[in-house]
Amino acid sequence: MKKQAIVESGPTPARERILRAAMESFMEHGYTQASTLKIATRAQVSKRELYALFGSKQAMLAACIADRAGRMRLPGQLPRPSDREELATVLSGLGATVLREVSDPAVMAVFRLAITEAPRAPEVAATLQTARQAICTTVREILAQTQSAGLVGAGAPADMAGRFLALLWGDLMMGMLLRLRTAPGAKEIDERARTAAADFLRLYPQPANAPTAAARRRAAAR
């Protein structure tokens, strides 16, 4: 009988330990009170090693934010719907992804940190805003494509994206930021996403003179 090889994980890299320790310190003590000594001690590294890897506390903060904001990224390639039914499916899937990624406790922790530390460390809010803007851009682009295909009526794509996201979130984010409620489960996420997509499509009906799905497929095949 062959013995199974036991794979032991090595020690956590210093950079990863520092980022984890920095984020924990920022959340416990606030950005200004979280000293590099506290962070180095918690990460079990020397201050020299800490500065060699990051250079400054601001750089650590930016790396922490970027790491967690990366969870807010949406798929780069989304299917292009050919009719309103497919559009509802795409919007529902997109909405579910947004809710699932942004409501992650680690991401919510970053939002709270940005709100608390914005007056003293505006780079926190700026870094987070970049990630949030990426979500808005993805939604705006898919809506601009569907509008050009005649699936939704007139409206500025940026405004339409903002309205869809507002329908998607409602007061959920505020409740989580205030710790009045926990992150939604899979069932609630899917239901909220489907409802937001349906409400959005009611707000933006298909133009009466829009080409049919069959006509659009014929045009695409030429």
Side-chain angles (χ1 to χ4, degrees):
M1 181 176 178
K2 293 183 179 180
K3 293 183 179 180
Q4 290 184 341
I6 299 175
V7 179
E8 295 184 359
S9 59
T12 305
R15 186 180 189 280
E16 185 178 332
R17 296 202 312 274
I18 292 170
L19 284 180
R20 185 185 305 132
M23 192 63 197
E24 290 172 354
S25 296
F26 293 150
M27 297 308 302
E28 288 180 17
H29 307 293
Y31 175 70
T32 56
Q33 297 301 315
S35 69
T36 54
L37 177 58
K38 290 177 182 175
I39 295 171
T41 301
R42 176 171 284 188
Q44 297 181 321
V45 299
S46 67
K47 287 185 67 175
R48 174 179 293 182
E49 186 175 7
L50 184 150
Y51 281 113
L53 287 169
F54 291 97
S56 67
K57 188 167 73 170
Q58 288 85 350
M60 279 186 284
L61 175 65
C64 286
I65 302 298
D67 177 66
R68 282 152 180 80
R71 305 186 190 196
M72 296 165 55
R73 294 193 186 105
L74 300 180
Q77 296 294 327
L78 291 170
R80 181 171 294 187
S82 60
D83 56 39
R84 298 265 293 185
E85 185 176 349
E86 289 183 2
L87 176 56
T89 300
V90 169
L91 289 177
S92 295
L94 184 62
T97 301
V98 170
L99 289 172
R100 184 170 55 253
E101 299 302 325
V102 180
S103 64
D104 183 278
V107 175
M108 281 293 110
V110 169
F111 272 93
R112 295 189 193 101
L113 180 62
I115 293 168
T116 303
E117 300 297 333
R120 294 175 293 274
E123 62 268 31
V124 181
T127 304
L128 187 59
Q129 178 61 17
T130 299
R132 290 184 65 250
Q133 192 57 45
I135 290 178
C136 295
T137 298
T138 299
V139 178
R140 185 181 71 238
E141 288 175 352
I142 190 68
L143 291 176
Q145 292 172 3
T146 57
Q147 188 179 54
S148 65
L151 296 180
V152 294
D159 293 340
M160 295 164 67
R163 188 155 295 166
F164 173 70
L165 291 172
L167 290 169
L168 184 66
W169 282 104
D171 60 0
L172 174 61
M173 182 176 288
M174 182 60 70
M176 287 191 294
L177 288 173
L178 295 175
R179 293 186 173 90
L180 296 176
R181 63 151 300 166
T182 58
K187 184 177 180 180
E188 181 183 352
I189 284 175
D190 290 341
E191 181 60 31
R192 291 184 75 98
R194 283 194 297 269
T195 300
D199 290 345
F200 177 84
L201 292 178
R202 279 193 290 271
L203 285 173
Y204 293 95
Q206 188 170 17
N209 59 349
T212 64
R216 284 192 295 272
R217 284 193 290 268
R218 287 196 299 270
R222 289 173 186 159

